[in-house]
Amino acid sequence: MARVKVYLDFLSQPSRAMYIFCKATGIQHEIVLISTMREETKTDKFTALNPLQQVPVLKDGNFALTESVAMLRYLANTRDIADHWYPKDTKQQARVDEYLEWQHIGTRFLCSSFFMAKMMKPMKTRIPPNEKNVQNIKDVMEKQLELVERIWLKNGEKDFIGGGKDVSVADLLAACEMEQPRMAGYDVRDKSPVLKLYMDRVQDRLNPHYAEAHVGLNEMVKKFKGEVPESHYKKIDA
């Protein structure tokens, strides 16, 4: 099969998922790095690929595809990969799809919103975060994380979200999303023994690619420790 191009930014959760997926499955691919911080998604060239100006983007020949779930399904259906990633059995596949459909308003939305409100927006605007808003988002995020633990993992009875014996694209997306709040000073592993065991299990299964995808995230965690420095904010004259 032809080599695909994957346009991504490692600060993006679904971008990291796409990187890990291509590496772990052995799909022939080329990585094209795009910086959202430098607004490279807003160039005319990139906008022609994705009018939404977001990463990741998959290009297979002349065919360009946006939205990570669609990309993962497309690659699973067009490349020869292990069945556990996206099972062909209708019921097993439906279990994976069940999470993929929910996560948009669950882990995807809330983990991203927490990071954006506490770190990304303040860094871009140089205005301190609204602490009340950050706390409200955190409260809702924790409720969604509790659902992952209680419903999707059945309080630790399930090793993987889809209920299979190996990792699927659902686990890949879930783990990458739950890593995101660490850049804003919130580590899911510290809050839930069940989620810690789960994320460690997924990471162990997907290393070294999982670790490679999270190098930039880990560097940001180490550098900022979950807080934008006061010196970064605009000085307002009295």
Side-chain angles (χ1 to χ4, degrees):
M1 295 293 289
R3 181 186 299 268
V4 297
K5 282 188 177 182
V6 185
Y7 298 77
L8 57 80
D9 182 339
F10 284 114
L11 289 183
S12 152
Q13 311 92 294
S15 287
R16 297 194 298 270
M18 286 297 300
Y19 174 88
I20 297 167
F21 182 74
C22 288
K23 290 288 186 180
T25 58
I27 290 172
Q28 294 294 307
H29 66 282
E30 175 187 346
I31 299 297
V32 182
L33 294 178
I34 299 293
S35 173
T36 53
M37 288 290 287
R38 293 197 292 269
E39 298 190 336
E40 291 176 358
T41 57
K42 296 183 179 180
T43 64
D44 291 342
K45 184 177 180 180
F46 188 85
T47 302
L49 278 175
N50 185 359
L52 295 175
Q53 300 180 330
Q54 297 173 342
V55 287
V57 172
L58 175 72
K59 193 172 183 188
D60 188 9
N62 293 323
F63 177 68
L65 188 62
T66 67
E67 298 303 321
S68 56
V69 171
M71 294 179 216
L72 291 166
R73 285 172 173 154
Y74 173 80
L75 289 175
N77 288 326
T78 61
R79 265 60 181 181
D80 184 18
I81 64 172
D83 188 68
H84 64 82
W85 287 104
Y86 191 62
K88 293 182 176 60
D89 177 86
T90 304
K91 291 180 179 178
Q92 292 177 15
Q93 186 181 113
R95 286 299 180 205
V96 173
D97 283 335
E98 188 177 29
Y99 177 81
L100 296 180
E101 298 300 331
W102 173 83
Q103 57 105 28
H104 292 292
I105 58 170
T107 46
R108 174 80 183 107
F109 179 65
L110 273 306
C111 291
S112 177
S113 295
F114 180 73
F115 167 67
M116 292 295 291
K118 189 177 178 188
M119 292 295 293
M120 198 68 162
K121 185 177 179 181
M123 290 183 75
K124 282 190 171 184
T125 62
R126 300 182 65 189
I127 298 172
N130 182 316
E131 295 298 340
K132 183 177 180 180
N133 182 49
V134 170
Q135 184 61 49
N136 288 340
I137 295 172
K138 178 183 174 183
D139 291 342
V140 181
M141 178 183 73
E142 289 183 329
K143 291 179 181 178
Q144 300 305 308
L145 294 172
E146 189 272 333
L147 291 179
V148 175
E149 178 177 337
R150 180 168 55 86
I151 295 177
W152 300 109
L153 295 174
K154 291 190 175 180
N155 294 314
E157 292 180 15
K158 293 167 62 177
D159 285 343
F160 299 103
I161 284 176
K165 296 180 179 179
D166 206 343
V167 67
S168 73
V169 294
D171 302 293
L172 181 56
L173 288 171
C176 287
E177 292 295 344
M178 289 191 288
E179 293 281 4
Q180 200 75 354
R182 286 205 296 123
M183 290 189 286
Y186 186 100
D187 193 336
V188 172
R189 293 174 178 85
D190 294 338
K191 309 296 182 179
S192 165
V194 169
L195 292 182
K196 180 185 186 306
L197 285 172
Y198 169 70
M199 292 183 71
D200 288 349
R201 184 181 305 119
V202 173
Q203 180 173 351
D204 289 345
R205 172 64 180 82
L206 297 175
N207 270 339
H209 315 301
Y210 192 98
E212 293 166 358
H214 289 89
V215 167
L217 183 150
N218 289 330
E219 289 176 349
M220 189 167 178
V221 171
K222 185 177 180 180
K223 180 178 180 180
F224 293 104
K225 296 179 174 59
E227 300 288 344
V228 177
E230 289 291 331
S231 60
H232 181 79
Y233 298 130
K234 295 177 182 177
K235 301 297 183 182
I236 299 177
D237 294 332

